[in-house]
Amino acid sequence: MPTPSVDPADPVFRLHAGGKLAVASTVPLTSREDLSLAYTPGVARVCEAIAAEPDLVDDYTWVSHTVAVVTDGSAVLGLGNIGPRAALPVMEGKAVLFKQFAGVDAVPICLDTQDVDEIVAVVRALAPSFGGINLEDISAPRCFEVERRLDEALPIPVFHDDQHGTAIVVLAALRNAAALLNRKLGDLRVAVSGAGAAGVAVTRMLVAGGVNPDQVVVCDSRGILGPHRELTGSKAELAALTNADGRHGDITEALRGADVLIGVSGGQIPEAAVAGMAPDGIVFALANPTPEVHPEVAGRHVAVVATGRSDYPNQINNVLAFPGVFRGALDARATRITDGMKVAAADAIAGVVDGALSADAIVPSPLDPRVAPAVAEAVAEAARRDGVARA
């Protein structure tokens, strides 16, 4: 990777100087009495109470409003495996978004290991300090195992945002795009380009949200997943879940007659392939900064286009999901995040658009202040409905 120039006068570097986070006290420390209450001897009484009744940690510490943002620096933005120190500005930024949009405090934790066993062990050891774990920018397929093992081991929500945040917003956007075109999710033929972390989660989320898995085809860099290929792990599971017609070939074949393209691969898709889609199609080209299909090209052939970019309409952005998801999970004191909670989050995001729905507005703006509260309320209700809430 070429060494970028560092210009202290550049607005980007000026903003990041000294970092984007700080610790602030929530209690006064202006007198001996304040000190005796906040620290010794007063704090000992709280410690003894929590030791006797561990759930009191939610009431008398920051646990009920704080999450860890954990990465190993192996898949940061589109920059790849740049390591934990270079990942820290992104994790700080994620923490700022948590605070700004949902009032959730977040602590960036960048681990100097990419060993699954070590990551799991460290996060398990750190977990008592937090009410939830947001996994971030961990490469596939290791991210699947890390999340699974932590989800099984910890009594708090564990959420890999690169997978599930994207998937939630995609489902919300597809709900509204289908409604706009007077279509039902169960009738749509969907091609997913990309079988990494986001592709796996998006496919599973769409199925949980009502898309017929028999109508879904998933492609990786070698073509369509199916029984004709020797596959293992998550790709084998996707192949078993989808492609009921046993299609072979590349993305062009996958798109032939498809109603929906969801691109989460970063690879380029030729215009001719998009032209082969069914009339009134939907394209979500989410690779960032370069979409799989340029939105203006896609717009020549389909009715609705979305990207991951902020300079085009319909930005599919994780910030629409993760602040409210964690706010709702923390408010419900949930022990985990269920598929029902993710679907509820997608429905809430879709519902914010409501009467303003149009081909250029199938999702709300990431800056819309209504989003996180709506998502939080829906997620908390779903947590109680799914039996994972403690409050």
Side-chain angles (χ1 to χ4, degrees):
M1 179 182 297
T3 302
S5 60
V6 176
D7 178 3
D10 184 312
V12 170
F13 285 93
R14 283 209 314 269
L15 183 143
H16 283 81
K20 300 190 289 287
L21 294 173
V23 173
S25 173
T26 63
V27 298
L29 285 178
T30 58
S31 67
R32 291 174 64 88
E33 182 181 9
D34 290 342
L35 189 60
S36 70
L37 292 172
Y39 200 53
T40 184
V43 71
R45 292 170 54 194
V46 180
C47 296
E48 290 172 331
I50 294 171
E53 190 175 339
D55 282 352
L56 289 176
V57 72
D58 293 306
D59 297 309
Y60 296 106
T61 73
W62 74 347
V63 161
S64 64
H65 56 84
T66 307
V67 303
V69 181
V70 180
T71 189
D72 65 356
S74 61
V76 181
L77 302 177
L79 304 175
N81 188 355
I82 61 174
R85 289 172 182 81
L88 185 53
V90 178
M91 303 310 120
E92 286 187 0
K94 193 70 176 274
V96 170
L97 296 177
F98 266 116
K99 188 67 173 180
Q100 177 68 28
F101 293 113
V104 172
D105 292 296
V107 178
I109 298 177
C110 299
L111 302 179
D112 195 9
T113 177
Q114 296 184 356
D115 179 83
V116 169
D117 291 338
E118 290 185 359
I119 293 170
V120 170
V122 170
V123 176
R124 287 185 65 178
L126 290 170
S129 293
F130 300 99
I133 306 294
N134 183 107
L135 300 174
E136 190 78 16
D137 291 350
I138 299 174
S139 63
R142 294 176 310 110
C143 61
F144 303 126
E145 185 177 358
V146 170
E147 184 185 48
R148 178 186 61 78
R149 287 171 58 179
L150 288 173
D151 195 42
E152 292 172 354
L154 298 178
I156 58 175
V158 178
F159 185 85
H160 185 211
D161 187 47
D162 302 296
Q163 294 183 65
H164 308 302
T166 299
I168 287 168
V169 184
V170 166
L171 176 58
L174 190 58
R175 281 207 190 287
N176 277 346
L180 182 69
L181 300 174
N182 198 27
R183 306 287 298 277
K184 295 181 179 178
L185 287 187
D187 296 334
L188 297 175
R189 293 183 60 185
V190 179
V192 179
S193 177
V200 170
V202 164
T203 302
R204 291 175 175 163
M205 187 85 271
L206 293 182
V207 171
V211 172
N212 182 350
D214 292 346
Q215 296 278 73
V216 178
V217 174
V218 182
C219 292
D220 65 6
S221 60
R222 295 177 53 201
I224 295 173
L225 304 186
H228 58 286
R229 292 179 52 187
E230 293 185 7
L231 301 166
T232 60
S234 59
K235 289 186 180 182
E237 294 172 3
L238 282 186
L241 176 67
T242 62
N243 193 14
D245 295 337
R247 288 196 179 195
H248 297 227
D250 60 10
I251 186 63
T252 299
E253 176 58 30
L255 284 174
R256 200 179 310 280
D259 301 297
V260 181
L261 162 63
I262 298 173
V264 282
S265 66
Q268 293 300 289
I269 297 174
E271 181 174 358
V274 178
M277 295 176 65
D280 290 328
I282 300 165
V283 167
F284 295 172
L286 306 183
N288 208 352
T290 305
E292 290 85 352
V293 184
H294 193 283
E296 293 175 9
V297 172
R300 293 200 283 261
H301 304 283
V302 300
V304 178
V305 179
T307 72
R309 293 173 52 138
S310 60
D311 53 348
Y312 287 96
N314 297 326
Q315 184 186 16
I316 307 296
N317 193 316
N318 291 14
V319 75
L320 289 168
F322 71 81
V325 167
F326 269 99
R327 179 76 273 167
L330 291 170
D331 289 347
R333 297 186 180 176
T335 56
R336 56 190 297 265
I337 294 175
T338 65
D339 284 347
M341 292 161 73
K342 297 171 197 171
V343 171
D347 290 346
I349 294 167
V352 169
V353 179
D354 199 21
L357 183 62
S358 72
D360 285 340
I362 58 170
V363 288
S365 163
L367 298 174
D368 191 321
R370 300 173 297 168
V371 175
V375 172
E377 182 178 358
V379 166
E381 289 179 1
R384 298 181 184 103
R385 188 166 59 246
D386 290 349
V388 297
R390 295 183 294 114

